[in-house]
Amino acid sequence: QQQVKQSPQSLIVQKGGIPIINCAYENTAFDYFPWYQQFPGKGPALLIAIRPDVSEKKEGRFTISFNKSAKQFSLHIMDSQPGDSATYFCAASRENQAGTALIFGKGTTLSVSS
Amino acid sequence: DAGITQSPRHKVTETGTPVTLRCHQTENHRYMYWYRQDPGHGLRLIHYSYGVKDTDKGEVSDGYSVSRSKTEDFLLTLESATSSQTSVYFCAIRAGGVNTEAFFGQGTRLTVV
């Protein structure tokens, strides 16, 4: 049972484009939704995160949109740059439960061409 | 960078041998996790710990065991390595409470031949 479903698996955009990565979750008890960015040979690193009490969060060129009723959230990258080429993972967890763990989607490989 | 170190960084081992991977942190974070990363599968949780001697299974725990006898160390053991356990293994740490960011190590590339 896949608790967090991520799409697309891969994405190619031109520099300046706006790639959008989507995730859907099953467990309505999830209350923390981060996005991680991973470059080849490195561990994932937190990019941006949102809680279900807000519908949108922006940090620089990165925006999370959250739809609680649809159990979906997405990452938008404005004015994408070649340096944004990486693998992106969405994740979810229950922060109100002791011993909680992050459950990750399968990842999206983004390539931004110059 | 968060103080998290994985060792070894690379290992090749034979089928049927036991293997232990080590995760060491200097942040005194409560939570520690082991994930494996495989193409097309993303990051899958193997085991995690929420305190010394407190551990629990993740979604792909079969064939793995863990131990945490000190706050700073979380060991992952492959009891009898199989080729299906060839993967990149990541350790992650989290403080817990209001600080929910997970910090990942650099990963261990394990090849079972």
Side-chain angles (χ1 to χ4, degrees):
Chain A
Q1 179 184 358
Q2 188 181 351
Q3 296 192 58
V4 180
K5 295 182 179 180
Q6 183 172 346
S7 63
Q9 185 175 350
S10 63
L11 193 54
I12 301 173
V13 299
Q14 298 265 6
K15 178 182 175 182
I18 306 175
I20 300 172
I21 305 171
N22 300 298
C23 282
Y25 62 96
E26 296 292 327
N27 190 344
T28 54
F30 286 147
D31 56 5
Y32 175 66
F33 303 91
W35 285 89
Y36 280 77
Q37 180 187 54
Q38 183 182 32
F39 293 104
K42 303 292 186 182
L46 179 67
L47 186 63
I48 185 173
I50 197 168
R51 297 191 181 276
D53 53 344
V54 297
S55 60
E56 186 177 276
K57 182 175 181 180
K58 293 182 181 180
E59 287 188 2
R61 295 183 294 107
F62 301 93
T63 298
I64 299 180
S65 297
F66 186 82
N67 186 329
K68 187 175 181 178
S69 61
K71 294 188 289 185
Q72 295 175 347
F73 57 111
S74 60
L75 176 70
H76 301 235
I77 305 175
M78 309 301 289
D79 187 27
S80 58
Q81 301 296 313
D84 296 329
S85 297
T87 300
Y88 293 82
F89 293 96
C90 62
S93 70
R94 293 179 58 180
E95 295 302 296
N96 59 357
Q97 180 184 23
T100 190
L102 282 170
I103 306 301
F104 286 85
K106 292 188 175 183
T108 297
T109 301
L110 172 66
S111 295
V112 181
S113 61
S114 55
Chain B
D1 290 346
I4 177 169
T5 304
Q6 290 185 230
S7 59
R9 293 292 315 280
H10 302 271
K11 186 171 181 65
V12 179
T13 192
E14 293 187 349
T15 298
T17 61
V19 177
T20 295
L21 308 182
R22 181 185 184 227
C23 179
H24 178 80
Q25 62 149 328
T26 57
E27 305 296 324
N28 200 36
H29 283 354
R30 178 181 177 187
Y31 297 102
M32 300 185 75
Y33 309 86
W34 278 107
Y35 290 89
R36 60 178 288 176
Q37 183 173 20
D38 304 286
H41 291 277
L43 291 155
R44 293 181 291 174
L45 181 66
I46 305 171
H47 281 279
Y48 64 100
S49 170
Y50 46 94
V52 173
K53 299 190 188 302
D54 292 323
T55 64
D56 205 349
K57 296 179 180 180
E59 66 174 305
V60 290
S61 60
D62 287 348
Y64 301 95
S65 62
V66 290
S67 66
R68 190 172 180 196
S69 59
K70 299 184 291 184
T71 298
E72 58 265 35
D73 289 323
F74 192 32
L75 304 180
L76 176 70
T77 298
L78 287 66
E79 295 144 5
S80 177
T82 67
S83 58
S84 65
Q85 293 175 312
T86 293
S87 185
V88 178
Y89 292 85
F90 284 100
C91 175
I93 61 175
R94 295 175 80 186
V98 297
N99 184 347
T100 53
E101 180 174 356
F103 297 94
F104 283 79
Q106 293 282 66
T108 294
R109 182 172 295 278
L110 176 69
T111 303
V112 183
V113 298

